[in-house]
Amino acid sequence: MAKLIDGKAISQAIRDEVRDEIAAGGIKASLAVVLVGNDPASTVYVNNKKKACEYCGIRSVSYELPEDTTEEKLLSLIDELNNDPEINGILVQLPVPKGINEDHVIEAISPMKDVDGFSKASVGALSIGDKGFVSCTPAGIIELLKRSDIDIDGKRCVVVGRSNIVGKPAAMLLLRENGTVTVTHSHTKDLASITREADILVVAIGKPEFITSEYVKPGAAVIDVGIHRLDPEKNNGKKLCGDVKFDEVEPVAGYITPVPGGVGPMTIAMLMKNTVAAYKMQH
Ligand code: NDP
C-alpha cells in the first residue's frame, strides 16, 4: 500500500511558513489579482487566492473587469501595475475571454512581478538554471516530493504530458534536482513500457483515470496533477478524480498523491511563496 502524500497538510505548512516569515520580517507584500469576465471556475480560483493572501498577511488588490474588456484596456492596466511600486506580484487569472491574446497578456507582465512564472523570461531562466519565478503547480510538485523525503537525485523520472504550464516546467525542475528525466506525450510509443521504468512518475495528461496499475513500477512515487469534475450521482458520491486510477495504482505505488488533496492545494501555497520572493527581489 502506498504512502499518501498529503498535499493539503504540506500546503498548510508552507502557508504557515510564509505567514511567519511575513510577520517576523515586517514584509509588506502586495499581489494584484486580475479577473476578466465571470467564468465560475476562475472566480472560485481567484477567491481562494485572495483568501490565502489574507491568511498569510499579503495585501491582495482585486481587479474584476467585464467579459467585453478589450486587450488594449487589459494591457494598459498591466502596464500601470508594472509601474506601481506598491504592487509586488501580478496575477492575471487564465484563461482570458476570447478576443484577448493570452500570450500578449503573459508577456506584458514585468518579469520582476511574474509570480505565475509563465512569461518567456521566467521559463527561459528556468531552462538555463538562472534565478526567476517558477510556475506554481510544477514548483508545488517538487515541494511535495522533497517534503515527503523522496529523493530526486539520480532517480528515473518520467513526466506524462508536455504542456507549457505543467509538463515542461516539471521536467525542467526534476532535471535541476538531478533526476534523469524522460518527457512523454501523445506521440510516445508504448507509453507503459516507459512509465514502468519511473521511480518518480508525474502525470499531467488531462485524461480522467488514464494511468492504471500496468503503467506503474511497484514502489514508485506517483504524482497526479490531473483534476476532473465528476457527476457525484454516477460516481458513488465522488466529485473529482485525477489522471491516475487511484484505487488500482495505490496498492502498487510506494507514494501517491490523492485527488483532491494532492497537487491541487500546492499551487496557491507556491503563489504565496512567489509573492514574498517578488517583494524581496524588489527591496
Ligand atoms: P494539456 O491538455 O495542456 O496537456 C496534456 C498533455 O498530455 C499534452 O502534452 C499531451 O500531448 C499529453 N497527452 C495527451 N494524451 C496522451 C497520451 N495518450 N499519452 C501520452 N501523453 C498524452 O494539459 P495541462 O498540462 O494543462 O493539464 C493536465 C492536467 O492537469 C489537467 O487535468 C488539468 O486540469 C490539470 N491541472 C491541474 C493543476 C493544479 O493546480 N493541480 C494546474 C494545471 C493543470 P501532446 O503535447 O502531444 O498533445
Side-chain angles (χ1 to χ4, degrees), residues 186-207:
S186 68
H187 296 247
T188 299
K189 303 267 187 294
D190 194 5
L191 181 64
S193 72
I194 298 169
T195 56
R196 270 201 306 269
E197 289 183 358
D199 302 310
I200 296 171
L201 179 61
V202 175
V203 187
I205 188 173
K207 294 192 168 155

Side-chain angles (χ1 to χ4, degrees), residues 31-32 51 61 81 184-185 188 194 215-216 250:
L31 175 68
K51 266 190 224 154
V61 188
L81 297 171
T184 62
H185 44 77
T188 299
I194 298 169
Y215 287 82
V216 179
E250 190 268 341

Side-chain angles (χ1 to χ4, degrees), residues 150-157 177-181 199-200:
I150 298 165
D151 198 15
I152 304 170
D153 198 313
K155 294 289 165 58
R156 288 297 307 265
C157 306
E177 298 294 331
N178 298 319
T180 302
V181 184
D199 302 310
I200 296 171

